[in-house]
PDB file of all heavy atoms in Angstrom:
ATOM      1  N   ALA A  36       0.822  -1.209   0.006  1.00 89.00           N
ATOM      2  CA  ALA A  36      -0.012  -0.005   0.007  1.00 89.00           C
ATOM      3  C   ALA A  36       0.865   1.260   0.006  1.00 89.00           C
ATOM      4  O   ALA A  36       0.510   2.289  -0.606  1.00 89.00           O
ATOM      5  CB  ALA A  36      -0.935  -0.002   1.204  1.00 89.00           C
ATOM      6  N   LEU A  37       2.008   1.202   0.672  1.00 91.00           N
ATOM      7  CA  LEU A  37       2.934   2.351   0.660  1.00 91.00           C
ATOM      8  C   LEU A  37       3.486   2.551  -0.761  1.00 91.00           C
ATOM      9  O   LEU A  37       3.627   3.682  -1.217  1.00 91.00           O
ATOM     10  CB  LEU A  37       4.086   2.090   1.648  1.00 91.00           C
ATOM     11  CG  LEU A  37       5.173   3.179   1.707  1.00 91.00           C
ATOM     12  CD1 LEU A  37       4.573   4.536   2.096  1.00 91.00           C
ATOM     13  CD2 LEU A  37       6.270   2.777   2.689  1.00 91.00           C
ATOM     14  N   ALA A  38       3.801   1.440  -1.465  1.00 91.00           N
ATOM     15  CA  ALA A  38       4.250   1.552  -2.846  1.00 91.00           C
ATOM     16  C   ALA A  38       3.181   2.181  -3.722  1.00 91.00           C
ATOM     17  O   ALA A  38       3.474   3.004  -4.583  1.00 91.00           O
ATOM     18  CB  ALA A  38       4.619   0.153  -3.400  1.00 91.00           C
ATOM     19  N   ARG A  39       1.926   1.837  -3.491  1.00 90.00           N
ATOM     20  CA  ARG A  39       0.815   2.465  -4.213  1.00 90.00           C
ATOM     21  C   ARG A  39       0.758   3.980  -3.938  1.00 90.00           C
ATOM     22  O   ARG A  39       0.496   4.765  -4.813  1.00 90.00           O
ATOM     23  CB  ARG A  39      -0.501   1.785  -3.826  1.00 90.00           C
ATOM     24  CG  ARG A  39      -1.705   2.365  -4.512  1.00 90.00           C
ATOM     25  CD  ARG A  39      -2.974   1.610  -4.101  1.00 90.00           C
ATOM     26  NE  ARG A  39      -3.228   1.702  -2.667  1.00 90.00           N
ATOM     27  CZ  ARG A  39      -4.160   1.033  -2.018  1.00 90.00           C
ATOM     28  NH1 ARG A  39      -4.930   0.177  -2.700  1.00 90.00           N
ATOM     29  NH2 ARG A  39      -4.334   1.143  -0.727  1.00 90.00           N
ATOM     30  N   ALA A  40       1.005   4.349  -2.683  1.00 90.00           N
ATOM     31  CA  ALA A  40       0.920   5.752  -2.271  1.00 90.00           C
ATOM     32  C   ALA A  40       2.013   6.606  -2.915  1.00 90.00           C
ATOM     33  O   ALA A  40       1.807   7.808  -3.160  1.00 90.00           O
ATOM     34  CB  ALA A  40       0.958   5.866  -0.756  1.00 90.00           C
ATOM     35  N   VAL A  41       3.181   6.037  -3.184  1.00 90.00           N
ATOM     36  CA  VAL A  41       4.318   6.811  -3.709  1.00 90.00           C
ATOM     37  C   VAL A  41       4.505   6.598  -5.192  1.00 90.00           C
ATOM     38  O   VAL A  41       5.498   7.070  -5.777  1.00 90.00           O
ATOM     39  CB  VAL A  41       5.605   6.498  -2.946  1.00 90.00           C
ATOM     40  CG1 VAL A  41       5.440   6.795  -1.462  1.00 90.00           C
ATOM     41  CG2 VAL A  41       6.037   5.022  -3.135  1.00 90.00           C
ATOM     42  N   TYR A  42       3.585   5.878  -5.845  1.00 90.00           N
ATOM     43  CA  TYR A  42       3.716   5.540  -7.252  1.00 90.00           C
ATOM     44  C   TYR A  42       3.636   6.805  -8.165  1.00 90.00           C
ATOM     45  O   TYR A  42       2.835   7.712  -7.920  1.00 90.00           O
ATOM     46  CB  TYR A  42       2.634   4.567  -7.670  1.00 90.00           C
ATOM     47  CG  TYR A  42       2.504   4.314  -9.159  1.00 90.00           C
ATOM     48  CD1 TYR A  42       3.369   3.471  -9.816  1.00 90.00           C
ATOM     49  CD2 TYR A  42       1.505   4.973  -9.886  1.00 90.00           C
ATOM     50  CE1 TYR A  42       3.255   3.259 -11.174  1.00 90.00           C
ATOM     51  CE2 TYR A  42       1.384   4.740 -11.253  1.00 90.00           C
ATOM     52  CZ  TYR A  42       2.254   3.877 -11.890  1.00 90.00           C
ATOM     53  OH  TYR A  42       2.149   3.675 -13.233  1.00 90.00           O
ATOM     54  N   GLY A  43       4.450   6.839  -9.194  1.00 86.00           N
ATOM     55  CA  GLY A  43       4.334   7.857 -10.239  1.00 86.00           C
ATOM     56  C   GLY A  43       4.826   9.232  -9.832  1.00 86.00           C
ATOM     57  O   GLY A  43       5.822   9.382  -9.124  1.00 86.00           O
ATOM     58  N   GLU A  44       4.073  10.236 -10.269  1.00 87.00           N
ATOM     59  CA  GLU A  44       4.479  11.623 -10.086  1.00 87.00           C
ATOM     60  C   GLU A  44       3.846  12.254  -8.843  1.00 87.00           C
ATOM     61  O   GLU A  44       3.533  13.444  -8.839  1.00 87.00           O
ATOM     62  CB  GLU A  44       4.087  12.444 -11.325  1.00 87.00           C
ATOM     63  CG  GLU A  44       4.662  11.897 -12.628  1.00 87.00           C
ATOM     64  CD  GLU A  44       4.148  12.652 -13.823  1.00 87.00           C
ATOM     65  OE1 GLU A  44       4.083  13.897 -13.752  1.00 87.00           O
ATOM     66  OE2 GLU A  44       3.797  12.006 -14.830  1.00 87.00           O
ATOM     67  N   THR A  45       3.642  11.477  -7.822  1.00 89.00           N
ATOM     68  CA  THR A  45       3.003  11.963  -6.619  1.00 89.00           C
ATOM     69  C   THR A  45       3.738  13.169  -6.031  1.00 89.00           C
ATOM     70  O   THR A  45       4.942  13.159  -5.847  1.00 89.00           O
ATOM     71  CB  THR A  45       2.958  10.851  -5.544  1.00 89.00           C
ATOM     72  OG1 THR A  45       2.288   9.705  -6.107  1.00 89.00           O
ATOM     73  CG2 THR A  45       2.228  11.303  -4.319  1.00 89.00           C
ATOM     74  N   ARG A  46       2.953  14.240  -5.717  1.00 91.00           N
ATOM     75  CA  ARG A  46       3.521  15.442  -5.118  1.00 91.00           C
ATOM     76  C   ARG A  46       3.066  15.654  -3.685  1.00 91.00           C
ATOM     77  O   ARG A  46       3.603  16.460  -2.974  1.00 91.00           O
ATOM     78  CB  ARG A  46       3.131  16.682  -5.960  1.00 91.00           C
ATOM     79  CG  ARG A  46       3.549  16.641  -7.410  1.00 91.00           C
ATOM     80  CD  ARG A  46       5.043  16.355  -7.561  1.00 91.00           C
ATOM     81  NE  ARG A  46       5.865  17.271  -6.776  1.00 91.00           N
ATOM     82  CZ  ARG A  46       7.126  17.028  -6.433  1.00 91.00           C
ATOM     83  NH1 ARG A  46       7.705  15.862  -6.780  1.00 91.00           N
ATOM     84  NH2 ARG A  46       7.809  17.911  -5.757  1.00 91.00           N
ATOM     85  N   LEU A  47       2.017  14.932  -3.277  1.00 92.00           N
ATOM     86  CA  LEU A  47       1.531  15.002  -1.903  1.00 92.00           C
ATOM     87  C   LEU A  47       1.251  13.577  -1.424  1.00 92.00           C
ATOM     88  O   LEU A  47       0.493  12.858  -2.035  1.00 92.00           O
ATOM     89  CB  LEU A  47       0.241  15.826  -1.815  1.00 92.00           C
ATOM     90  CG  LEU A  47      -0.503  15.765  -0.474  1.00 92.00           C
ATOM     91  CD1 LEU A  47       0.319  16.398   0.643  1.00 92.00           C
ATOM     92  CD2 LEU A  47      -1.860  16.497  -0.594  1.00 92.00           C
ATOM     93  N   VAL A  48       1.914  13.197  -0.334  1.00 92.00           N
ATOM     94  CA  VAL A  48       1.743  11.854   0.237  1.00 92.00           C
ATOM     95  C   VAL A  48       1.274  12.031   1.677  1.00 92.00           C
ATOM     96  O   VAL A  48       1.911  12.736   2.470  1.00 92.00           O
ATOM     97  CB  VAL A  48       3.066  11.047   0.191  1.00 92.00           C
ATOM     98  CG1 VAL A  48       2.876   9.726   0.936  1.00 92.00           C
ATOM     99  CG2 VAL A  48       3.488  10.808  -1.238  1.00 92.00           C
ATOM    100  N   VAL A  49       0.155  11.380   1.992  1.00 92.00           N
ATOM    101  CA  VAL A  49      -0.428  11.421   3.337  1.00 92.00           C
ATOM    102  C   VAL A  49      -0.428   9.994   3.896  1.00 92.00           C
ATOM    103  O   VAL A  49      -1.022   9.106   3.281  1.00 92.00           O
ATOM    104  CB  VAL A  49      -1.843  12.007   3.355  1.00 92.00           C
ATOM    105  CG1 VAL A  49      -2.431  12.037   4.732  1.00 92.00           C
ATOM    106  CG2 VAL A  49      -1.825  13.416   2.752  1.00 92.00           C
ATOM    107  N   LEU A  50       0.248   9.798   5.020  1.00 91.00           N
ATOM    108  CA  LEU A  50       0.422   8.479   5.608  1.00 91.00           C
ATOM    109  C   LEU A  50      -0.193   8.456   7.015  1.00 91.00           C
ATOM    110  O   LEU A  50       0.243   9.206   7.868  1.00 91.00           O
ATOM    111  CB  LEU A  50       1.911   8.128   5.676  1.00 91.00           C
ATOM    112  CG  LEU A  50       2.742   8.290   4.400  1.00 91.00           C
ATOM    113  CD1 LEU A  50       4.208   8.055   4.666  1.00 91.00           C
ATOM    114  CD2 LEU A  50       2.229   7.342   3.323  1.00 91.00           C
ATOM    115  N   ASP A  51      -1.187   7.613   7.190  1.00 89.00           N
ATOM    116  CA  ASP A  51      -1.857   7.505   8.500  1.00 89.00           C
ATOM    117  C   ASP A  51      -1.376   6.235   9.193  1.00 89.00           C
ATOM    118  O   ASP A  51      -1.716   5.125   8.802  1.00 89.00           O
ATOM    119  CB  ASP A  51      -3.370   7.459   8.291  1.00 89.00           C
ATOM    120  CG  ASP A  51      -4.135   7.640   9.592  1.00 89.00           C
ATOM    121  OD1 ASP A  51      -3.507   7.693  10.666  1.00 89.00           O
ATOM    122  OD2 ASP A  51      -5.386   7.758   9.530  1.00 89.00           O
ATOM    123  N   GLU A  52      -0.539   6.433  10.230  1.00 88.00           N
ATOM    124  CA  GLU A  52       0.081   5.307  10.953  1.00 88.00           C
ATOM    125  C   GLU A  52       0.775   4.344   9.981  1.00 88.00           C
ATOM    126  O   GLU A  52       0.427   3.157   9.912  1.00 88.00           O
ATOM    127  CB  GLU A  52      -0.979   4.551  11.774  1.00 88.00           C
ATOM    128  CG  GLU A  52      -1.619   5.368  12.881  1.00 88.00           C
ATOM    129  CD  GLU A  52      -0.702   5.553  14.081  1.00 88.00           C
ATOM    130  OE1 GLU A  52       0.439   5.057  14.048  1.00 88.00           O
ATOM    131  OE2 GLU A  52      -1.125   6.214  15.023  1.00 88.00           O
ATOM    132  N   PRO A  53       1.747   4.818   9.228  1.00 87.00           N
ATOM    133  CA  PRO A  53       2.362   3.972   8.182  1.00 87.00           C
ATOM    134  C   PRO A  53       3.158   2.806   8.740  1.00 87.00           C
ATOM    135  O   PRO A  53       3.469   1.879   7.990  1.00 87.00           O
ATOM    136  CB  PRO A  53       3.268   4.957   7.442  1.00 87.00           C
ATOM    137  CG  PRO A  53       3.611   6.003   8.431  1.00 87.00           C
ATOM    138  CD  PRO A  53       2.382   6.153   9.277  1.00 87.00           C
ATOM    139  N   ASN A  54       3.501   2.810  10.020  1.00 82.00           N
ATOM    140  CA  ASN A  54       4.288   1.729  10.573  1.00 82.00           C
ATOM    141  C   ASN A  54       3.508   0.848  11.536  1.00 82.00           C
ATOM    142  O   ASN A  54       4.055   0.109  12.326  1.00 82.00           O
ATOM    143  CB  ASN A  54       5.525   2.311  11.329  1.00 82.00           C
ATOM    144  CG  ASN A  54       5.084   3.246  12.476  1.00 82.00           C
ATOM    145  OD1 ASN A  54       4.014   3.817  12.435  1.00 82.00           O
ATOM    146  ND2 ASN A  54       5.902   3.344  13.490  1.00 82.00           N
ATOM    147  N   ALA A  55       2.161   0.927  11.445  1.00 79.00           N
ATOM    148  CA  ALA A  55       1.317   0.222  12.419  1.00 79.00           C
ATOM    149  C   ALA A  55       1.552  -1.282  12.397  1.00 79.00           C
ATOM    150  O   ALA A  55       1.494  -1.921  13.433  1.00 79.00           O
ATOM    151  CB  ALA A  55      -0.153   0.546  12.128  1.00 79.00           C
ATOM    152  N   SER A  56       1.806  -1.873  11.213  1.00 76.00           N
ATOM    153  CA  SER A  56       1.937  -3.336  11.134  1.00 76.00           C
ATOM    154  C   SER A  56       3.329  -3.779  10.700  1.00 76.00           C
ATOM    155  O   SER A  56       3.521  -4.934  10.321  1.00 76.00           O
ATOM    156  CB  SER A  56       0.886  -3.880  10.145  1.00 76.00           C
ATOM    157  OG  SER A  56      -0.410  -3.511  10.503  1.00 76.00           O
ATOM    158  N   LEU A  57       4.306  -2.864  10.717  1.00 79.00           N
ATOM    159  CA  LEU A  57       5.624  -3.160  10.172  1.00 79.00           C
ATOM    160  C   LEU A  57       6.547  -3.764  11.237  1.00 79.00           C
ATOM    161  O   LEU A  57       6.506  -3.389  12.406  1.00 79.00           O
ATOM    162  CB  LEU A  57       6.270  -1.886   9.603  1.00 79.00           C
ATOM    163  CG  LEU A  57       5.518  -1.191   8.457  1.00 79.00           C
ATOM    164  CD1 LEU A  57       6.305   0.030   8.013  1.00 79.00           C
ATOM    165  CD2 LEU A  57       5.339  -2.176   7.296  1.00 79.00           C
ATOM    166  N   ASP A  58       7.396  -4.694  10.778  1.00 79.00           N
ATOM    167  CA  ASP A  58       8.459  -5.222  11.623  1.00 79.00           C
ATOM    168  C   ASP A  58       9.690  -4.324  11.495  1.00 79.00           C
ATOM    169  O   ASP A  58       9.644  -3.246  10.905  1.00 79.00           O
ATOM    170  CB  ASP A  58       8.773  -6.668  11.255  1.00 79.00           C
ATOM    171  CG  ASP A  58       9.165  -6.814   9.777  1.00 79.00           C
ATOM    172  OD1 ASP A  58       9.424  -5.782   9.121  1.00 79.00           O
ATOM    173  OD2 ASP A  58       9.172  -7.961   9.268  1.00 79.00           O
ATOM    174  N   GLY A  59      10.816  -4.772  12.046  1.00 80.00           N
ATOM    175  CA  GLY A  59      12.041  -3.972  12.011  1.00 80.00           C
ATOM    176  C   GLY A  59      12.488  -3.649  10.597  1.00 80.00           C
ATOM    177  O   GLY A  59      12.809  -2.499  10.263  1.00 80.00           O
ATOM    178  N   ASP A  60      12.462  -4.667   9.700  1.00 82.00           N
ATOM    179  CA  ASP A  60      12.861  -4.396   8.321  1.00 82.00           C
ATOM    180  C   ASP A  60      11.917  -3.428   7.654  1.00 82.00           C
ATOM    181  O   ASP A  60      12.320  -2.553   6.884  1.00 82.00           O
ATOM    182  CB  ASP A  60      12.925  -5.720   7.537  1.00 82.00           C
ATOM    183  CG  ASP A  60      14.074  -6.611   7.988  1.00 82.00           C
ATOM    184  OD1 ASP A  60      15.036  -6.065   8.585  1.00 82.00           O
ATOM    185  OD2 ASP A  60      14.002  -7.826   7.761  1.00 82.00           O
ATOM    186  N   GLY A  61      10.614  -3.608   7.908  1.00 82.00           N
ATOM    187  CA  GLY A  61       9.638  -2.728   7.320  1.00 82.00           C
ATOM    188  C   GLY A  61       9.793  -1.289   7.809  1.00 82.00           C
ATOM    189  O   GLY A  61       9.637  -0.334   7.017  1.00 82.00           O
ATOM    190  N   GLU A  62      10.118  -1.093   9.087  1.00 86.00           N
ATOM    191  CA  GLU A  62      10.293   0.261   9.583  1.00 86.00           C
ATOM    192  C   GLU A  62      11.546   0.920   8.981  1.00 86.00           C
ATOM    193  O   GLU A  62      11.518   2.116   8.672  1.00 86.00           O
ATOM    194  CB  GLU A  62      10.375   0.248  11.115  1.00 86.00           C
ATOM    195  CG  GLU A  62       9.058  -0.091  11.803  1.00 86.00           C
ATOM    196  CD  GLU A  62       9.004   0.427  13.217  1.00 86.00           C
ATOM    197  OE1 GLU A  62       9.965   1.142  13.641  1.00 86.00           O
ATOM    198  OE2 GLU A  62       8.004   0.159  13.914  1.00 86.00           O
ATOM    199  N   ARG A  63      12.577   0.125   8.797  1.00 87.00           N
ATOM    200  CA  ARG A  63      13.797   0.705   8.152  1.00 87.00           C
ATOM    201  C   ARG A  63      13.466   1.080   6.701  1.00 87.00           C
ATOM    202  O   ARG A  63      13.924   2.134   6.222  1.00 87.00           O
ATOM    203  CB  ARG A  63      14.928  -0.348   8.215  1.00 87.00           C
ATOM    204  CG  ARG A  63      15.613  -0.406   9.585  1.00 87.00           C
ATOM    205  CD  ARG A  63      16.850  -1.254   9.506  1.00 87.00           C
ATOM    206  NE  ARG A  63      16.545  -2.688   9.327  1.00 87.00           N
ATOM    207  CZ  ARG A  63      16.257  -3.513  10.323  1.00 87.00           C
ATOM    208  NH1 ARG A  63      16.267  -3.055  11.589  1.00 87.00           N
ATOM    209  NH2 ARG A  63      15.993  -4.776  10.119  1.00 87.00           N
ATOM    210  N   ALA A  64      12.680   0.262   6.018  1.00 88.00           N
ATOM    211  CA  ALA A  64      12.285   0.584   4.646  1.00 88.00           C
ATOM    212  C   ALA A  64      11.449   1.849   4.620  1.00 88.00           C
ATOM    213  O   ALA A  64      11.565   2.690   3.716  1.00 88.00           O
ATOM    214  CB  ALA A  64      11.521  -0.579   4.036  1.00 88.00           C
ATOM    215  N   LEU A  65      10.579   2.013   5.621  1.00 89.00           N
ATOM    216  CA  LEU A  65       9.748   3.211   5.727  1.00 89.00           C
ATOM    217  C   LEU A  65      10.604   4.459   5.924  1.00 89.00           C
ATOM    218  O   LEU A  65      10.372   5.500   5.279  1.00 89.00           O
ATOM    219  CB  LEU A  65       8.704   3.060   6.859  1.00 89.00           C
ATOM    220  CG  LEU A  65       7.859   4.292   7.150  1.00 89.00           C
ATOM    221  CD1 LEU A  65       7.025   4.687   5.947  1.00 89.00           C
ATOM    222  CD2 LEU A  65       6.955   4.021   8.368  1.00 89.00           C
ATOM    223  N   VAL A  66      11.575   4.365   6.810  1.00 89.00           N
ATOM    224  CA  VAL A  66      12.452   5.503   7.061  1.00 89.00           C
ATOM    225  C   VAL A  66      13.207   5.872   5.780  1.00 89.00           C
ATOM    226  O   VAL A  66      13.349   7.059   5.429  1.00 89.00           O
ATOM    227  CB  VAL A  66      13.436   5.186   8.184  1.00 89.00           C
ATOM    228  CG1 VAL A  66      14.541   6.267   8.292  1.00 89.00           C
ATOM    229  CG2 VAL A  66      12.718   5.064   9.517  1.00 89.00           C
ATOM    230  N   ASN A  67      13.704   4.869   5.054  1.00 90.00           N
ATOM    231  CA  ASN A  67      14.405   5.135   3.792  1.00 90.00           C
ATOM    232  C   ASN A  67      13.475   5.803   2.778  1.00 90.00           C
ATOM    233  O   ASN A  67      13.878   6.694   2.027  1.00 90.00           O
ATOM    234  CB  ASN A  67      14.962   3.837   3.226  1.00 90.00           C
ATOM    235  CG  ASN A  67      16.079   3.271   4.070  1.00 90.00           C
ATOM    236  OD1 ASN A  67      16.762   4.018   4.824  1.00 90.00           O
ATOM    237  ND2 ASN A  67      16.280   1.965   3.991  1.00 90.00           N
ATOM    238  N   CYS A  68      12.192   5.357   2.757  1.00 91.00           N
ATOM    239  CA  CYS A  68      11.222   5.893   1.834  1.00 91.00           C
ATOM    240  C   CYS A  68      10.962   7.385   2.156  1.00 91.00           C
ATOM    241  O   CYS A  68      10.932   8.241   1.265  1.00 91.00           O
ATOM    242  CB  CYS A  68       9.925   5.111   1.894  1.00 91.00           C
ATOM    243  SG  CYS A  68       8.610   5.712   0.814  1.00 91.00           S
ATOM    244  N   LEU A  69      10.772   7.688   3.442  1.00 91.00           N
ATOM    245  CA  LEU A  69      10.530   9.069   3.858  1.00 91.00           C
ATOM    246  C   LEU A  69      11.734   9.973   3.509  1.00 91.00           C
ATOM    247  O   LEU A  69      11.550  11.113   3.075  1.00 91.00           O
ATOM    248  CB  LEU A  69      10.227   9.130   5.349  1.00 91.00           C
ATOM    249  CG  LEU A  69       8.907   8.471   5.787  1.00 91.00           C
ATOM    250  CD1 LEU A  69       8.802   8.454   7.307  1.00 91.00           C
ATOM    251  CD2 LEU A  69       7.726   9.175   5.179  1.00 91.00           C
ATOM    252  N   THR A  70      12.918   9.437   3.686  1.00 90.00           N
ATOM    253  CA  THR A  70      14.116  10.205   3.351  1.00 90.00           C
ATOM    254  C   THR A  70      14.168  10.482   1.855  1.00 90.00           C
ATOM    255  O   THR A  70      14.500  11.597   1.424  1.00 90.00           O
ATOM    256  CB  THR A  70      15.371   9.422   3.811  1.00 90.00           C
ATOM    257  OG1 THR A  70      15.294   9.180   5.228  1.00 90.00           O
ATOM    258  CG2 THR A  70      16.639  10.225   3.520  1.00 90.00           C
ATOM    259  N   ALA A  71      13.849   9.457   1.052  1.00 91.00           N
ATOM    260  CA  ALA A  71      13.878   9.642  -0.406  1.00 91.00           C
ATOM    261  C   ALA A  71      12.812  10.640  -0.851  1.00 91.00           C
ATOM    262  O   ALA A  71      13.068  11.456  -1.747  1.00 91.00           O
ATOM    263  CB  ALA A  71      13.676   8.308  -1.086  1.00 91.00           C
ATOM    264  N   LEU A  72      11.618  10.582  -0.255  1.00 91.00           N
ATOM    265  CA  LEU A  72      10.579  11.533  -0.602  1.00 91.00           C
ATOM    266  C   LEU A  72      10.984  12.970  -0.285  1.00 91.00           C
ATOM    267  O   LEU A  72      10.687  13.902  -1.026  1.00 91.00           O
ATOM    268  CB  LEU A  72       9.251  11.171   0.103  1.00 91.00           C
ATOM    269  CG  LEU A  72       8.581   9.876  -0.320  1.00 91.00           C
ATOM    270  CD1 LEU A  72       7.371   9.575   0.587  1.00 91.00           C
ATOM    271  CD2 LEU A  72       8.107   9.946  -1.788  1.00 91.00           C
ATOM    272  N   LYS A  73      11.684  13.116   0.834  1.00 90.00           N
ATOM    273  CA  LYS A  73      12.141  14.454   1.212  1.00 90.00           C
ATOM    274  C   LYS A  73      13.150  14.982   0.189  1.00 90.00           C
ATOM    275  O   LYS A  73      13.122  16.165  -0.177  1.00 90.00           O
ATOM    276  CB  LYS A  73      12.764  14.381   2.611  1.00 90.00           C
ATOM    277  CG  LYS A  73      13.128  15.751   3.205  1.00 90.00           C
ATOM    278  CD  LYS A  73      13.637  15.580   4.639  1.00 90.00           C
ATOM    279  CE  LYS A  73      13.912  16.970   5.246  1.00 90.00           C
ATOM    280  NZ  LYS A  73      12.683  17.759   5.407  1.00 90.00           N
ATOM    281  N   GLN A  74      14.028  14.097  -0.255  1.00 91.00           N
ATOM    282  CA  GLN A  74      15.012  14.525  -1.277  1.00 91.00           C
ATOM    283  C   GLN A  74      14.346  14.892  -2.583  1.00 91.00           C
ATOM    284  O   GLN A  74      14.853  15.762  -3.315  1.00 91.00           O
ATOM    285  CB  GLN A  74      16.035  13.381  -1.478  1.00 91.00           C
ATOM    286  CG  GLN A  74      16.917  13.122  -0.269  1.00 91.00           C
ATOM    287  CD  GLN A  74      17.765  11.860  -0.432  1.00 91.00           C
ATOM    288  OE1 GLN A  74      17.569  11.103  -1.377  1.00 91.00           O
ATOM    289  NE2 GLN A  74      18.724  11.668   0.486  1.00 91.00           N
ATOM    290  N   ARG A  75      13.199  14.258  -2.872  1.00 90.00           N
ATOM    291  CA  ARG A  75      12.482  14.570  -4.114  1.00 90.00           C
ATOM    292  C   ARG A  75      11.562  15.791  -3.983  1.00 90.00           C
ATOM    293  O   ARG A  75      10.817  16.082  -4.906  1.00 90.00           O
ATOM    294  CB  ARG A  75      11.650  13.360  -4.536  1.00 90.00           C
ATOM    295  CG  ARG A  75      12.469  12.125  -4.854  1.00 90.00           C
ATOM    296  CD  ARG A  75      11.559  10.993  -5.293  1.00 90.00           C
ATOM    297  NE  ARG A  75      12.311   9.789  -5.588  1.00 90.00           N
ATOM    298  CZ  ARG A  75      11.797   8.680  -6.150  1.00 90.00           C
ATOM    299  NH1 ARG A  75      10.487   8.656  -6.455  1.00 90.00           N
ATOM    300  NH2 ARG A  75      12.528   7.626  -6.384  1.00 90.00           N
ATOM    301  N   LYS A  76      11.592  16.431  -2.810  1.00 92.00           N
ATOM    302  CA  LYS A  76      10.724  17.609  -2.559  1.00 92.00           C
ATOM    303  C   LYS A  76       9.273  17.263  -2.617  1.00 92.00           C
ATOM    304  O   LYS A  76       8.437  18.082  -3.060  1.00 92.00           O
ATOM    305  CB  LYS A  76      11.046  18.722  -3.559  1.00 92.00           C
ATOM    306  CG  LYS A  76      12.499  19.186  -3.546  1.00 92.00           C
ATOM    307  CD  LYS A  76      12.878  19.772  -2.210  1.00 92.00           C
ATOM    308  CE  LYS A  76      14.322  20.281  -2.218  1.00 92.00           C
ATOM    309  NZ  LYS A  76      14.746  20.835  -0.895  1.00 92.00           N
ATOM    310  N   VAL A  77       8.900  16.045  -2.197  1.00 92.00           N
ATOM    311  CA  VAL A  77       7.497  15.631  -2.096  1.00 92.00           C
ATOM    312  C   VAL A  77       6.961  16.062  -0.730  1.00 92.00           C
ATOM    313  O   VAL A  77       7.612  15.847   0.281  1.00 92.00           O
ATOM    314  CB  VAL A  77       7.354  14.116  -2.297  1.00 92.00           C
ATOM    315  CG1 VAL A  77       5.897  13.697  -2.085  1.00 92.00           C
ATOM    316  CG2 VAL A  77       7.822  13.711  -3.671  1.00 92.00           C
TER     317      VAL A  77
END
């Protein structure tokens, strides 16, 4: 679902409790995703 949220030319991403069901690997992937979105000026 996170991949669906960041797909394409997205300029606004809204995440409601994005780590609610994530394990350690998933949380690290989420942090990396947020960092990449910040770099893309999303």
